[in-house]
Amino acid sequence: MPVTTHIEKHFEASDIVRDVVIGMSDGLTVPFALAAGLSGTVSQTGIVVIAGLAEVAAGSIAMGLGGYLAARTDFDHYCSEREREIRETVELPHKETEEVAEVFRGYGMEDKDIAPVVAAICSNQKRWVDFMMRFELGFEEPNPKRARNSAITIALSYVVGGLVPLAPYMLMSRLLTALSVSVAVTMAALFVFGYVKGKLTGIPPLRGGLQTVVIGGLASAAAFGLAKWIS
Amino acid sequence: MPVTTHIEKHFEASDIVRDVVIGMSDGLTVPFALAAGLSGTVSQTGIVVIAGLAEVAAGSIAMGLGGYLAARTDFDHYCSEREREIRETVELPHKETEEVAEVFRGYGMEDKDIAPVVAAICSNQKRWVDFMMRFELGFEEPNPKRARNSAITIALSYVVGGLVPLAPYMLMSRLLTALSVSVAVTMAALFVFGYVKGKLTGIPPLRGGLQTVVIGGLASAAAFGLAKWIS
C-alpha cells in the first residue's frame, strides 16, 4: 500500500513538528509572561527566577505527560475500534459488506459497479478491516512509539523555550534591566520561532513570526496588568 | 454522503471535549504546581496569589491563542491543498485519474474492476476532489468556526481549572493551611476531571482519574523541589 505509507510518513514528520511547536510556543510565552508580570510587583530578581523555574518544571511535566496520555489514548482508541471491526467482520459479515458498499454509494457509483469492488476488498480480512478503519471511520494507524516520543519532545521544547526569557533574570541583578533584556530577547526568539514554524507549516513566515510575537505580547501584558492590579 | 456526515459529527464533539481537556488539565495542574512550589520558599499567600493569577492570565491567553492559530493553520492548509487538487484535476486529469486507481490498487483490486469505480468518481469534479482529499491525502474537512470556538473553550477551561488550586490562597492567610487545602481540593478536582475524561474518551474512568492525579502530583512535586533547591 504505497499510498498509506506515504501518508503515514507525512503525518509522523508533522507530528514531531507539532510537538515542538506545542512545547516551545507555550515554553517561550508562559514563563516570559509570568516573569514580566511578577516584575511589576516584586523587588528582587530572585523571586522571579524561583517562580519562573518552578513554572518551567511544572509546565514541562504537565504538558509532556499530557502529550503522553493523549497519544496513548489515541492508540488505545484505535486498537479497540480495530478489534471491534475485526469482530464484526466475523459476526456480522453481511452488515460489514454492506457498509463497504455504502462508502462507494456515497461516491455516486451504481450497484453493479460496486459489487466487484466490494468482493475484492472483503476477500481478505486484513484488507477489509484496513478499509473500514480508514474509509468508514476515518482513522489513521497511530505509531505505538508516538506517546513516549511526544512526551519527551514536548517537555524538552518547553524547557528550552522557558529558559530563554528567564536567563536575563538569572544573569542580572537589577530587576528592570533584566525585564527589558528578557522582553527584547524573548520577542526576538518568538519572532524567529514563528518564522520557522511558518516555513514548516506552510503559512507565510512573516505572518507566522508576527503572530507568535503578538501572542507572547498579549499574554505578558495581561499577566503584567493583572499582577499590578491585584498588588 | 451519509458516511462523511457521520464522521464529521463525531469529530466535532470530540474536538470540544479535546479542547476542554487541553485547557483544564493544564489549568488544574500548572497553577497548582506553581503555587505549591512557591509555598516552599515565600512567606506570604499574597505573592502566591499574584504569581498564580499572573500564570492563569498568561497561560489561558497563550493556550487559547495557540489553539486559535493551530485550528486556523489546519483550515488554511486544508483549503490550499484542496485548491491544488482542484487545479490538478483540470491541468493533469490523467495523473489524478491514475492516483484514484492507485488507491484501489492498494486494496488488491484488479484493473478491470477498478475502471468503473474510477470513472464514477472522476465523472464529477467535486466528488473527485473530495475523494482525493480524504482517501489520498487523509484530510478531514475542518469546521471554519473551529478556530474561534477552540480558542474560547481552551482559555475558559484553563481559567476555571486554574482558579481551583488558587482559591485557598485567596481565602486563607496562613500559607501552610492554604497549601494543604489547595493540595486536597486540587487532587480531588484532578481525580474527578480525570474520571469524567476517562468516561468521555473511553478509557477506564478509575485509571483516568489516577492518571491526572499522578501528573498533577509529579508536576507540583518537581516545582516544589526545584523552588526549595534554588532558594
Side-chain angles (χ1 to χ4, degrees), chain A residues 67-108:
Chain A
Y68 178 84
L69 291 181
R72 275 243 45 110
T73 304
D74 281 355
F75 186 70
D76 291 349
H77 190 200
Y78 179 86
C79 293
S80 76
E81 290 287 330
R82 193 179 175 91
E83 266 164 39
R84 207 189 60 179
E85 287 296 327
I86 289 173
R87 235 176 16 247
E88 286 183 359
T89 59
V90 176
E91 289 168 8
L92 304 160
H94 290 297
K95 183 173 153 281
E96 289 299 295
T97 312
E98 182 49 33
E99 283 178 9
V100 173
E102 200 53 54
V103 171
F104 290 105
R105 239 172 254 136
Y107 284 90

Side-chain angles (χ1 to χ4, degrees), chain A residues 13-56:
Chain A
S14 79
D15 279 346
I16 293 174
V17 170
R18 220 198 58 195
D19 288 341
V20 170
V21 167
I22 289 175
M24 197 166 285
S25 57
D26 270 38
L28 275 171
T29 311
V30 183
F32 168 58
L34 174 67
L38 285 178
S39 299
T41 53
V42 299
S43 51
Q44 306 148 315
T45 53
I47 190 78
V48 175
V49 171
I50 291 171
L53 290 179
E55 208 286 334
V56 169

Side-chain angles (χ1 to χ4, degrees), chain A residues 1-3 6-7 10-11 26 29-30 33-34 37-38 41-42 47 49-51 53-55 57-59 61-63 65-66 69 73 76-77 102-104 106-109 113 116-117 120-121 127 130-131 134-140 158 197 201 203 207 211-212 214-215 218-219 222-223 226-227 230-231, chain B residues 1-3 6-7 10-11 26 29-30 33-34 37-38 41-42 47 49-51 53-55 57-59 61-63 65-66 69 73 76-77 102-104 106-109 113 116-117 120-121 127 130-131 134-140 158 197 201 203 207 211-212 214-215 218-219 222-223 226-227 230-231:
Chain A
M1 270 199 276
V3 173
H6 162 78
I7 289 177
H10 165 80
F11 268 41
D26 270 38
T29 311
V30 183
L34 174 67
L38 285 178
T41 53
V42 299
I47 190 78
V49 171
I50 291 171
L53 290 179
E55 208 286 334
I61 290 174
M63 289 198 80
L65 285 181
L69 291 181
T73 304
D76 291 349
H77 190 200
E102 200 53 54
V103 171
F104 290 105
Y107 284 90
M109 284 171 60
D113 295 335
V117 182
I121 290 171
R127 197 186 282 163
D130 281 349
F131 182 89
R134 179 121 176 262
F135 292 53
E136 190 209 18
L137 300 171
F139 280 111
E140 296 290 335
Y158 196 96
K197 187 181 92 176
T201 55
I203 61 168
R207 200 177 91 195
Q211 278 177 345
T212 51
V214 167
I215 292 183
L218 282 179
L226 191 74
I230 310 166
S231 65
Chain B
M1 269 199 277
V3 174
H6 161 76
I7 289 177
H10 165 80
F11 268 41
D26 269 38
T29 311
V30 183
L34 174 65
L38 284 179
T41 53
V42 299
I47 190 78
V49 171
I50 291 172
L53 289 180
E55 208 286 334
I61 290 175
M63 287 197 81
L65 285 182
L69 291 182
T73 304
D76 291 349
H77 189 202
E102 199 53 52
V103 171
F104 291 106
Y107 284 89
M109 285 171 59
D113 295 334
V117 181
I121 290 171
R127 196 186 284 161
D130 281 349
F131 182 88
R134 179 121 176 263
F135 297 144
E136 191 210 17
L137 300 171
F139 280 110
E140 296 291 334
Y158 196 97
K197 189 182 89 176
T201 54
I203 61 169
R207 200 178 88 193
Q211 278 176 346
T212 52
V214 167
I215 292 183
L218 281 179
L226 191 73
I230 310 167
S231 64

Side-chain angles (χ1 to χ4, degrees), chain B residues 3 9 20 30 44 46-47 50 53 84 93 99 103 105-106 113 120 161 166 192-193 199 208-209 218 225:
Chain B
V3 174
K9 268 201 197 119
V20 170
V30 183
Q44 307 147 316
I47 190 78
I50 291 172
L53 289 180
R84 207 190 58 178
E99 283 178 9
V103 171
R105 237 172 255 137
D113 295 334
L166 297 180
V192 170
F193 167 72
K199 283 237 166 208
L218 281 179

